[in-house]
Amino acid sequence: MTGKLNIEQANSSAVSDLFVVIIAGIGLLLSTLDTGIINVALPTLVHVFQSSLTAMSWTITLYTLALTGTIVLFGRLSDHYGHLTIYVLGLILFALSSMLCGIAQSVSELIAFRILQGIGAAMLQATSAALITTIIPESRRGPALGTLGILLGLGPVLGPSVGGTILSMVSWRFIFFINLPIVAVALFGCRRLKRIVQEKRQDVHLNVAGNVLLSFSILSLLLSLSAIGDATLVAILLFLLFALLIGGFTLRELRISSPILNLKLFRNRQFALAMLAVFFFGGATSIGFIVPPYFLETVRHLSAWQSGLVNLSAPLGLMGFSRLSGKRLGQVGAKRLMGIGLTVMVVAYGVLSQMGVAWSPLLLASLLFVYGAGAGIFVPANLSAIMGAVGRETQGTIGAVQRMVQNLGIAIDTAIAVVLIRMHSGVGSEGLMVGFRAAWGYAAGTLGLTLLLFAWLAIKVRLRQRV
């Protein structure tokens, strides 16, 4: 086929759905892969640069800050200039910053280049879902979103294992260089997509002031969370700054004609609940990656690789059920699938909240797999509900907001889990178990609250239909 297609008319004869999903999913894979890889490499980097763990941890913190603080801006820019255009620029920046990280000669250089990498990751995460929802027709979108969920689950699975393998075989620099061939494959695919589909530029107001307010408010919140426990006064002041900035952002967005996100969407209870659900889902999933290694290595005295195998269970469950959920979207509906997914996750974490010292790794792995299965059912349905709430002209923005909300849930619940564990860390294994059970119970409670709200809304709708 030689001519270009309008992006709204792309069909399977021009480009396969799977091809689009893989190219779009590479961005999500890269951005999540790099967090897990560098987590494993922190001790090595501390030794190589003769630095401290506190200083080196900024390579993770500032990457996350740059990603979360700028993601909505790039979602907005992609709606204006084209999702594929911003995605390609994100791939280029991610590759360039990865190369710079790999040749860094000092801690300050590595931190600076990781900030650039976080910005590149924001460009990729902001546009991945929008590429699928604007290129693939709605009738075939469910399976595509299910496959995207699989790629999303691959990052946490591959990060630690790939990072550990690289560190054991070659230089630490290759944990960054490994991104380059993956980006090359994605750029080749994007080149093909550009030949086939033609994106329409949308007449979207960029709203620079609103983006600045939102970015700085998110940065303030994340910095306040990172200061909890070490600098309480600083954490409080930063949280107050966040409250001031987010309040100013909200007031401004309600008054202008071209807001970043139409806040009136939250009057739609289904949309508001879908956003609340992805926030709590992000947080609950982060607890699933924090508590098991701590329990297995501190209480059960397993090695790091054995602990890593157990932690693979949840992502494997997510990958296994995401495709199935996507295929069932058209028949069952997003609301019902979200409810089923939430139910499964609440049950799994509810049982985990009763965790005991003598629990076997196999039992823990089984419950994590069940949670992952619920997550796999939930993710495609949630993404479909949120992306379907707005028109084609703001798919990039809404996709970026969805990822930002999930990342905020991860950051907040990570801080809460660390605090709960620290509170009981000085009183032996039984004390630690109290902290672990509290973390699982908190996550189950937040997901359960969301499930109850979904059930209440469903009952209310049925009562209205009867009347």
Side-chain angles (χ1 to χ4, degrees):
M1 184 168 181
T2 57
K4 287 189 176 182
L5 295 175
N6 183 296
I7 198 164
E8 298 161 28
Q9 298 173 329
N11 54 53
S12 57
S13 64
V15 59
S16 72
D17 293 352
L18 182 60
F19 178 78
V20 175
V21 173
I22 290 175
I23 297 305
I26 283 176
L28 286 177
L29 175 63
L30 284 171
S31 60
T32 54
L33 183 73
D34 258 50
T35 302
I37 282 181
I38 201 166
N39 280 341
V40 174
L42 279 181
T44 300
L45 294 173
V46 168
H47 174 72
V48 167
F49 289 106
Q50 296 182 342
S51 180
S52 67
L53 185 60
T54 301
M56 197 57 65
S57 65
W58 282 106
T59 60
I60 298 174
T61 302
L62 292 179
Y63 174 89
T64 305
L65 288 172
L67 192 164
T68 309
T70 61
I71 189 169
V72 175
L73 169 63
F74 290 118
R76 192 73 171 178
L77 287 170
S78 74
D79 285 330
H80 184 75
Y81 293 108
H83 308 122
L84 195 53
T85 299
I86 299 299
Y87 187 76
V88 168
L89 291 175
L91 287 169
I92 294 170
L93 179 58
F94 197 88
L96 176 62
S97 56
S98 295
M99 184 182 69
L100 291 172
C101 285
I103 62 175
Q105 300 299 314
S106 67
V107 176
S108 57
E109 285 183 6
L110 183 59
I111 290 173
F113 298 146
R114 280 285 287 176
I115 294 172
L116 279 179
Q117 198 179 37
I119 295 171
M123 299 170 80
L124 298 175
Q125 288 199 16
T127 49
S128 292
L131 284 174
I132 292 173
T133 56
T134 52
I135 294 177
I136 297 175
E138 188 174 357
S139 59
R140 304 200 304 268
R141 202 171 292 163
L145 292 175
T147 306
L148 184 66
I150 295 174
L151 292 172
L152 181 60
L154 273 176
V157 173
L158 294 178
S161 55
V162 170
T165 303
I166 290 173
L167 290 172
S168 65
M169 296 178 65
V170 291
S171 167
W172 64 269
R173 299 183 186 277
F174 283 86
I175 66 173
F176 298 108
F177 292 154
I178 193 176
N179 294 328
L180 302 181
I182 301 175
V183 170
V185 170
L187 286 172
F188 178 80
C190 288
R191 185 181 178 189
R192 182 183 171 193
L193 280 180
K194 276 187 171 289
R195 289 176 177 175
I196 296 172
V197 298
Q198 184 175 8
E199 291 189 295
K200 286 184 176 181
R201 286 194 177 190
Q202 304 290 346
D203 186 19
V204 177
H205 181 58
L206 294 181
N207 192 355
V208 176
N211 275 291
V212 169
L213 277 172
L214 180 61
S215 295
F216 277 99
S217 66
I218 298 305
L219 290 174
S220 300
L221 176 60
L222 293 177
L223 285 172
S224 73
L225 292 172
S226 67
I228 289 177
D230 298 318
T232 305
L233 179 59
V234 173
I236 292 172
L237 292 174
L238 284 168
F239 186 81
L240 290 175
L241 178 60
F242 157 73
L244 181 64
L245 290 172
I246 200 68
F249 167 78
T250 303
L251 290 174
R252 185 181 186 280
E253 293 298 291
L254 288 171
R255 292 167 55 188
I256 64 174
S257 58
S258 300
I260 295 172
L261 174 66
N262 185 0
L263 297 179
K264 293 178 181 177
L265 279 171
F266 288 93
R267 293 178 181 174
N268 181 330
R269 290 171 180 159
Q270 293 288 358
F271 175 81
L273 277 179
M275 278 294 187
L276 182 68
V278 78
F279 174 78
F280 286 137
F281 164 72
T285 302
S286 71
I287 288 175
F289 279 104
I290 293 170
V291 174
Y294 211 120
F295 166 73
L296 293 169
E297 295 175 35
T298 305
V299 178
R300 295 307 306 269
H301 306 293
L302 267 63
S303 62
W305 72 266
Q306 290 172 319
S307 171
L309 283 178
V310 173
N311 243 40
L312 289 178
S313 303
L316 288 175
L318 185 149
M319 289 188 293
F321 282 80
S322 285
R323 182 71 176 173
L324 176 64
S325 174
K327 288 181 178 179
R328 299 286 291 173
L329 259 175
Q331 299 170 332
V332 179
K335 290 184 291 184
R336 184 170 295 180
L337 283 174
M338 278 193 287
I340 294 171
L342 284 167
T343 301
V344 173
M345 290 189 285
V346 168
V347 169
Y349 271 18
V351 176
L352 281 165
S353 70
Q354 306 303 309
M355 173 189 282
V357 173
W359 273 31
S360 70
L362 181 60
L363 175 58
L364 179 57
S366 299
L367 288 168
L368 290 175
F369 182 85
V370 171
Y371 175 83
I377 296 169
F378 169 84
V379 169
N382 177 264
L383 191 55
S384 176
I386 290 173
M387 300 296 285
V390 299
R392 186 176 294 272
E393 69 280 358
T394 53
Q395 288 290 293
T397 301
I398 199 67
V401 169
Q402 192 264 359
R403 289 298 304 169
M404 182 192 73
V405 169
Q406 185 170 336
N407 287 334
L408 285 176
I410 292 171
I412 291 172
D413 277 19
T414 297
I416 290 172
V418 169
V419 169
L420 289 172
I421 293 172
R422 277 183 182 176
M423 286 171 58
H424 303 90
S425 60
V427 287
S429 296
E430 283 297 340
L432 275 175
M433 295 308 302
V434 174
F436 295 154
R437 287 192 286 266
W440 292 124
Y442 165 77
T446 56
L447 292 173
L449 173 63
T450 311
L451 180 61
L452 287 174
L453 290 173
F454 269 110
W456 169 77
L457 187 58
I459 292 171
K460 195 171 182 179
V461 169
R462 286 183 182 178
L463 289 175
R464 281 182 182 175
Q465 289 174 344
R466 289 181 180 179
V467 173

